[in-house]
Amino acid sequence: MMKNKRGMDIILEKITGKILHIIGSLFNTIVFLFTNKKRVLVVNGWMELYGGKPLHQNLGDELNYYLLKELSNQKIVNYKNLYIKCVNYCCIGSIIDTLAENNTIIWGAGLITDKDTLNNVPLKICAVRGALTRNKLLEEGVQCPEVYGDPALLLPLIYDGHSVSKNKRVKKIVGLIPHIVDLNNVNVRRFINNEGVKIIRLCGYKHWHDIIDEINQCDFIISSSLHGVIISDAYNIPNVWVEFSNNVVGNGFKFRDYYSSVRKNIPEPVKILNSTSLEELLEYEKCWEPINIDLNKLLQACPFEIKEKFINKGDGIK
């Protein structure tokens, strides 16, 4: 009986979600039609923007809203929430193979895997997340410049992040950032009660600044989320890529793609077993090295207008 009730609840949730999507998209489309297009940036990403703000489902995807809004000073509309065709921008995420259309301009996005063919050839490519994405696009006969970088690396331009003094600590503060699919993993739960371990969830947050602050308050980050790794790198916080499960789509392609843009050596993930201890993971802090990438090239390749104060500021990112 309980299984049947749970099944009905899941069905109702899906139906409710679809109804909300339809209503929200109709509203967004109507508003968009009567808005000055020069003040709007149509972003194409895995997020929902109802009432003009994200639903706090996954910060990695929703940085398409927060970061691009600050960089451009424009109103952000999500292409997925519109019922009309128009030029749109794929910027953050493994979305080129799933979301990009013939009217899409790519700036910093990547592929989820190199195993599939593209559904559509984008209108223009200005930059991609990494060399692996570029190589695959070239194989598909798609022109792609040698300009790399996930735009999330530009986060320090718009928010410094509030850290705390780490010099007088007796014990390290370790941040554990599970991918959304790993939130209930038994080995994630196992670390919850470890003293000095902070579980940082990229969903259900109150304000996106809170996530950045939590990461900055840590001495070391353990992450199965790509944007957990990227945000940590952006703020110069030592980190390690781990796998709690095989549930993260793409078999690690997006991580290797990202690393190809910022490291000479592409690491392999640390697979978390039932026997893996926190002490073992802390040893990987010694292997971390700061990122090496010319973010000014990424800024200069931006296909939409950004605030003047951000131009040529890539060298200033710590």
Side-chain angles (χ1 to χ4, degrees):
M1 189 71 178
M2 289 296 292
K3 286 184 178 179
N4 289 339
K5 185 178 184 304
R6 178 57 186 155
M8 285 299 297
D9 288 343
I10 292 173
I11 292 171
L12 286 172
E13 284 177 14
K14 289 182 177 179
I15 293 172
T16 302
K18 287 183 177 179
I19 291 172
L20 283 173
H21 177 81
I22 292 169
I23 294 172
S25 297
L26 282 171
F27 176 78
N28 286 346
T29 302
I30 293 168
V31 172
F32 177 76
L33 289 172
F34 291 94
T35 301
N36 182 348
K37 303 305 182 291
K38 292 182 179 180
R39 298 176 56 193
V40 174
L41 189 68
V42 181
V43 175
N44 194 346
W46 286 120
M47 59 179 177
E48 301 287 354
L49 293 184
Y50 298 139
K53 293 183 180 179
L55 297 182
H56 298 188
Q57 294 174 327
N58 186 349
L59 180 63
D61 294 319
E62 290 160 355
L63 287 175
N64 279 293
Y65 174 83
Y66 299 117
L67 176 64
L68 303 183
K69 182 174 182 289
E70 292 297 324
L71 285 178
S72 68
N73 198 31
Q74 291 180 297
K75 177 182 174 63
I76 303 298
V77 173
N78 192 22
Y79 187 62
K80 198 160 75 77
N81 296 128
L82 291 177
Y83 283 129
I84 58 174
K85 298 286 185 181
C86 60
V87 172
N88 58 88
Y89 299 89
C90 278
C91 301
I92 298 176
S94 304
I95 52 181
I96 296 176
D97 38 356
T98 51
L99 294 184
E101 297 183 1
N102 301 123
N103 54 354
T104 300
I105 297 173
I106 309 295
W107 181 61
L111 298 166
I112 192 68
T113 177
D114 61 353
K115 304 302 181 187
D116 301 325
T117 57
L118 291 179
N119 292 326
N120 301 286
V121 175
L123 178 64
K124 184 179 180 182
I125 299 180
C126 302
V128 289
R129 182 178 54 209
L132 304 191
T133 286
R134 180 174 183 262
N135 291 342
K136 176 61 176 176
L137 291 172
L138 293 176
E139 285 177 14
E140 296 269 328
V142 179
Q143 291 186 346
C144 181
E146 199 171 355
V147 182
Y148 304 128
D150 188 303
L153 290 173
L154 300 171
L155 278 170
L157 285 181
I158 68 167
Y159 183 64
D160 287 338
H162 295 154
S163 59
V164 294
S165 176
K166 302 172 184 178
N167 297 328
K168 297 181 180 179
R169 285 184 182 165
V170 177
K171 192 175 180 67
K172 288 180 179 293
I173 299 296
V174 178
L176 194 161
I177 308 178
H179 188 282
I180 301 296
V181 299
D182 291 328
L183 281 172
N184 294 317
N185 183 279
V186 63
N187 282 317
V188 172
R189 296 202 305 269
R190 180 164 62 85
F191 284 110
I192 288 176
N193 295 323
N194 279 60
E195 185 182 357
V197 173
K198 177 196 293 283
I199 306 296
I200 302 174
R201 295 172 175 83
L202 300 184
C203 60
Y205 53 91
K206 290 185 178 179
H207 194 289
W208 72 274
H209 286 178
D210 297 339
I211 303 295
I212 307 300
D213 290 346
E214 285 189 280
I215 291 173
N216 273 281
Q217 289 160 9
C218 295
D219 300 282
F220 184 52
I221 295 290
I222 298 165
S223 180
S224 65
S225 160
L226 175 60
H227 279 96
V229 168
I230 292 175
I231 295 170
S232 302
D233 275 346
Y235 288 93
N236 211 34
I237 308 297
N239 60 83
V240 63
W241 166 31
V242 301
E243 287 185 347
F244 289 101
S245 69
N246 295 320
N247 296 330
V248 179
V249 176
N251 196 29
F253 175 85
K254 61 182 180 180
F255 285 86
R256 296 182 181 92
D257 185 43
Y258 162 66
Y259 282 125
S260 73
S261 72
V262 297
R263 303 268 196 281
K264 286 185 178 179
N265 300 312
I266 299 178
E268 288 297 312
V270 176
K271 296 187 181 294
I272 307 297
L273 308 174
N274 291 336
S275 59
T276 305
S277 68
L278 183 61
E279 288 70 29
E280 288 177 73
L281 292 173
L282 285 171
E283 287 298 309
Y284 288 94
E285 182 179 355
K286 301 171 186 175
C287 304
W288 179 82
E289 57 187 40
I291 59 175
N292 181 17
I293 182 174
D294 184 355
L295 290 175
N296 277 325
K297 287 182 69 174
L298 180 62
L299 281 167
Q300 289 161 9
C302 186
F304 50 84
E305 188 173 345
I306 62 175
K307 295 177 184 177
E308 189 175 350
K309 68 178 181 179
F310 296 133
I311 297 173
N312 296 323
K313 293 296 183 182
D315 289 338
I317 298 178
K318 54 186 175 180

